[in-house]
Amino acid sequence: MCGIIGYTGKLQAANVLLEGLCNLEYRGYDSAGIALFTPSGLKTYKAQGRLSQLEAMLGENLPEGQCGIGHTRWATHGAPSDINAHPHASGSVTLVHNGILENYMELKDILLKQGRIFVSQTDTEVIAQWLDEEYQKTREPIKAIRQTLKAMKGAYALGILFADHPGVLYAVRKDSPLIVGLGKGENLIASDITAILTYTRDYLLVEEHEIAVIMPERAEIYSPEGKQVNREPCRADWDIGAAQKGGYAHFMRKEIDEQPHALEATISPRLNNGQIDFSVDHVEDAFLSNFRSIQIVACGTAMHAGMIGKHLIEFLARIPVSVNIASEYRYSNPIVGKDDLVIIVSQSGETADTLAALRLAKSRGARTLAIVNVVGSSIAREAERVLYTYAGPEIAVASTKAYSVQTAMFYLLALRIACLNGKLDTGESSSYIEKIQEIPQIVEASLKTAPLCKKIAADLADAADLFYIGRGLDYCLSMEGSLKLKEISYLHSEAYAAGELKHGTISLITDKVPVIAVAAQSSLLEKMISNMREVKARGGFVVAICQAGYNIPEDAADRVIYLPDLVKDELFAPLAAIVPLQLIAYEIASLRGCDVDKPRNLAKSVTVE
Ligand code: M6R
């Protein structure tokens, strides 16, 4: 939901800002803009559409200047347009904003009564005008920012320039991400680390309501009360290569291929002497023992990983688990308290609804454990304990490797909880741990289905609608396969529990509506074959995804994708079966000429509710 960047230093800021925005564009791409101190004063350049529109507008001769801010927008208030694009300026103030000012109408009314005139429909311009109003009173940036924050309700990360403070960036945040990148003779601000990896891996986290003042030689952080605070820098272990396409046509395709490595990186630190051990994460056994229930809360793909988690924990540890959509959970007055463990799952660690659900669970006294990919993100900081997944930066809007590592984390957690709960003896636990260790190789082997998936994608790409069916774990996978397909290819699809199809939905099946049947659980295979036959009998084209060695009768499926024969236990089939589902979605979207990495209307990190 919008990306912001700022630079002050020795380089030409326009280059740095445009490069940073390119890396942030996955956060929104309705418009882009930059503002910088040029030899002839503070200048703003902005354009509706992708960053390329702004670049085309700027042409070869970029404006000169060594300090500036930039923004890539996912529109909330005000349609995508040149006027509504950030930066927004008022008097001495020019700023970029990620978030939503909830009381903007109220503040705008006050400003209108004071005779102020607005040019855009955005909430952000209200912040610029309010801040300018405050600034005119004292001409002290920090004081003016603090006064403005008192009036604002909502979420924000702001990058601010004051016209009479050239070379200095000001920044502040609440509920939206913001970091300060520390270079040599240059410093930056950004929504996330991927925007600034070319320049530095060292960064400062900015806490809620803190104000950062950034100059080329130093970066200062001030508490909400205006006192300077000392902050230890963090170091990102992601390198710039991880945030580049590296010869792939799309990030999504690269990230699918990165899964074995991401899984290895996530699993191996948690295995110690043949045991699952979360001591590196400071998640002690007592924290994972003795609760009444487990509640998993997340959005989208992360929630789908949670569905697998529920299945695994209930199967292995026999503890009741619920999976909750974060945006529903937070308004449902959930029955949660000190006897419950709430597991929050998020790649970005910044999803607004997930963060709000975490805060709700904490306020009710629940134990909170976050599974997060982005180090130092809000969810990671606010949860009682964190298990980091090590997928590296995930740039494509469609989540792939993050899903796999979240799922892998649930295997580890389910097994540990089951051992602590006395539901598994040492022998059973060791046998499962051996299988966990094989996950990266299994996924590597599953990637070999790519050529077949490409062929099958050609059979499916012209469909108007498509169904995914599965039972048990395979139903959870169907949900994720369907989401992946529709979000990037715009081909409408639905996921159905295979047994539920004949309770209404089968009436939609025709020879124009193909069905992908995930049938990787031997215990459910016979039932799945019946369901596939039911579809075939109605003229549907069936693609089956199943384990090696299964006998799928000709009258049940038109195409069959066999998973690698390394899958020895059906409980571990999901991590193999998700790969062809991701590949099919990717190939269909490519064949349909879609912008795979940046699907329309979407943004990677949903920091608004
Ligand atoms: O960053 P998060 O994991 O909290 O994001 C949650 C969802 O927005 C996300 O999983 C989304 O559904 C995927 N990008 C879809 O591929």
Side-chain angles (χ1 to χ4, degrees):
M1 295 292 110
C2 303
I4 69 172
I5 177 137
Y7 175 84
T8 182
K10 49 202 180 235
L11 300 174
Q12 287 303 322
N15 284 319
V16 181
L17 298 175
L18 292 174
E19 184 193 320
L21 289 180
C22 178
N23 291 328
L24 287 173
E25 215 185 1
Y26 71 92
R27 302 178 70 91
Y29 26 86
D30 289 329
S31 62
I34 58 172
L36 63 167
F37 289 103
T38 72
S40 49
L42 185 50
K43 293 273 162 59
T44 296
Y45 308 85
K46 51 192 192 173
Q48 181 187 345
R50 301 278 162 107
L51 179 63
S52 52
Q53 298 293 118
L54 175 68
E55 286 171 331
M57 190 187 100
L58 291 170
E60 295 282 296
N61 298 317
L62 294 179
E64 283 181 33
Q66 292 162 312
C67 174
I69 51 179
H71 187 268
T72 180
R73 179 170 187 239
W74 189 83
T76 56
H77 297 64
S81 69
D82 290 352
I83 289 286
N84 288 334
H86 299 214
H88 287 280
S90 172
S92 303
V93 171
T94 299
L95 55 80
V96 288
H97 171 213
N98 169 26
I100 286 185
L101 180 64
E102 284 167 5
N103 58 338
Y104 83 105
M105 288 300 287
E106 191 189 311
L107 300 186
K108 191 170 180 176
D109 275 351
I110 297 171
L111 291 165
L112 284 168
K113 283 187 190 125
Q114 290 171 355
R116 288 206 164 237
I117 294 165
F118 287 81
V119 293
S120 78
Q121 291 83 51
T122 62
D123 52 340
T124 304
E125 193 189 353
V126 176
I127 306 176
Q129 298 238 20
W130 196 278
L131 179 55
D132 183 54
E133 194 68 36
E134 291 295 344
Y135 186 63
Q136 299 312 328
K137 292 179 192 160
T138 60
R139 304 202 78 79
E140 288 183 42
I142 296 184
K143 210 177 223 174
I145 293 171
R146 287 180 59 213
Q147 283 305 113
T148 303
L149 298 190
K150 286 184 191 159
M152 285 169 50
K153 288 196 187 116
Y156 46 81
L158 299 170
I160 310 163
L161 302 176
F162 290 91
D164 45 358
H165 289 262
V168 189
L169 299 171
Y170 293 84
V172 62
R173 73 173 278 269
K174 176 185 165 273
D175 292 341
S176 290
L178 178 73
I179 56 165
V180 175
L182 303 172
K184 291 204 170 59
E186 58 185 358
N187 289 311
L188 305 101
I189 57 166
S191 297
D192 68 43
I193 190 76
T194 52
I196 59 173
L197 278 175
T198 312
Y199 305 96
T200 183
R201 288 213 245 155
D202 298 319
Y203 64 97
L204 300 175
L205 294 169
V206 182
E207 299 293 347
E208 299 274 284
H209 307 288
E210 284 182 344
I211 299 168
V213 183
I214 321 292
M215 290 147 281
E217 297 299 339
R218 63 182 200 279
E220 297 165 353
I221 308 256
Y222 291 87
S223 71
E225 295 72 39
K227 294 218 166 63
Q228 196 172 343
V229 290
N230 279 330
R231 178 73 29 87
E232 279 301 304
C234 309
R235 189 163 175 80
D237 54 8
W238 294 357
D239 65 32
I240 187 65
Q244 290 172 341
K245 277 193 205 147
Y248 283 82
H250 298 102
F251 279 109
M252 182 182 175
R253 188 64 188 83
K254 175 178 175 242
E255 288 162 6
I256 291 172
D257 272 2
E258 284 172 345
Q259 291 179 109
H261 177 73
L263 286 161
E264 181 71 45
T266 300
I267 293 168
S268 60
R270 279 82 187 209
L271 296 181
N272 187 9
N273 281 331
Q275 292 292 321
I276 291 162
D277 180 357
F278 292 117
S279 54
V280 282
D281 307 286
H282 309 289
V283 177
E284 62 279 20
D285 287 347
F287 189 82
L288 295 177
S289 316
N290 300 324
F291 27 72
R292 171 179 62 176
S293 79
I294 297 178
Q295 303 183 7
I296 298 173
V297 187
C299 297
T301 288
M303 194 269 292
H304 293 156
M307 289 173 70
I308 303 264
K310 168 186 163 72
H311 191 104
L312 296 172
I313 297 170
E314 289 190 339
F315 180 77
L316 293 167
R318 307 305 295 159
I319 294 175
V321 182
S322 65
V323 184
N324 305 269
I325 297 170
S327 54
E328 292 294 316
Y329 183 83
R330 57 181 297 202
Y331 298 113
S332 66
N333 192 9
I335 302 169
V336 64
K338 64 177 178 36
D339 298 327
D340 304 299
L341 173 68
V342 175
I343 304 180
I344 300 284
V345 193
S346 175
Q347 187 284 129
S348 63
E350 299 293 350
T351 301
D353 283 314
T354 314
L355 179 59
L358 163 66
R359 288 178 179 163
L360 173 67
K362 269 179 86 172
S363 73
R364 301 259 174 112
R367 260 178 266 180
T368 55
L369 172 66
I371 298 178
V372 172
N373 196 45
V374 177
V375 175
S377 53
S378 301
I379 291 173
R381 280 188 273 169
E382 293 193 27
E384 229 178 310
R385 299 283 192 285
V386 191
L387 293 172
Y388 280 114
T389 52
Y390 297 120
E394 190 179 65
I395 308 289
V397 166
S399 185
T400 52
K401 60 179 179 172
Y403 170 84
S404 290
V405 291
Q406 287 159 354
T407 305
M409 192 61 87
F410 276 115
Y411 280 87
L412 295 166
L413 259 180
L415 273 175
R416 189 70 205 143
I417 294 172
C419 290
L420 296 170
N421 205 19
K423 291 288 186 273
L424 287 181
D425 62 30
T426 323
E428 289 166 320
S429 155
S430 308
S431 144
Y432 278 126
I433 287 168
E434 268 171 36
K435 289 168 189 160
I436 284 187
Q437 283 171 309
E438 286 163 5
I439 287 174
Q441 292 94 285
I442 290 176
V443 173
E444 185 81 59
S446 204
L447 285 165
K448 301 211 168 82
T449 59
L452 178 58
C453 292
K454 195 170 182 173
K455 270 195 207 149
I456 290 175
D459 293 326
L460 306 175
D462 293 330
D465 302 282
L466 196 149
F467 277 80
Y468 288 78
I469 57 170
R471 288 167 176 260
L473 282 167
D474 293 337
Y475 171 53
C476 311
L477 285 172
S478 301
M479 300 276 289
E480 176 55 11
S482 171
L483 172 61
K484 221 81 303 172
L485 180 72
K486 56 193 153 196
E487 72 175 319
I488 60 170
S489 73
Y490 319 142
L491 195 169
H492 170 250
S493 78
E494 300 278 348
Y496 253 79
E500 187 67 9
L501 202 61
K502 52 184 162 298
H503 295 282
T505 321
I506 201 162
S507 63
L508 293 168
I509 303 293
T510 67
D511 58 356
K512 309 253 171 343
V513 182
V515 173
I516 296 183
V518 189
Q521 308 292 301
S522 359
S523 50
L524 299 167
L525 184 61
E526 261 183 49
K527 295 275 174 284
M528 276 303 295
I529 288 176
S530 304
N531 297 140
M532 284 148 59
R533 282 196 172 114
E534 287 156 14
V535 171
K536 287 282 297 160
R538 272 92 192 157
F541 181 90
V542 174
V543 176
I545 298 177
C546 64
Q547 291 202 50
Y550 282 10
N551 178 20
I552 305 292
E554 274 183 20
D555 64 342
D558 298 274
R559 305 275 185 273
V560 183
I561 299 173
Y562 289 102
L563 300 175
D565 57 8
L566 298 172
V567 183
K568 296 186 194 95
D569 181 337
E570 63 180 37
L571 199 63
F572 289 80
L575 280 165
I578 191 61
V579 174
L581 292 170
Q582 295 166 340
L583 287 165
I584 288 172
Y586 171 80
E587 295 297 350
I588 291 179
S590 302
L591 284 169
R592 289 164 69 100
C594 298
D595 189 345
V596 174
D597 285 337
K598 295 182 191 125
R600 69 183 175 214
N601 306 338
L602 286 172
K604 179 77 179 160
S605 181
V606 185
T607 52
V608 294
E609 297 163 26

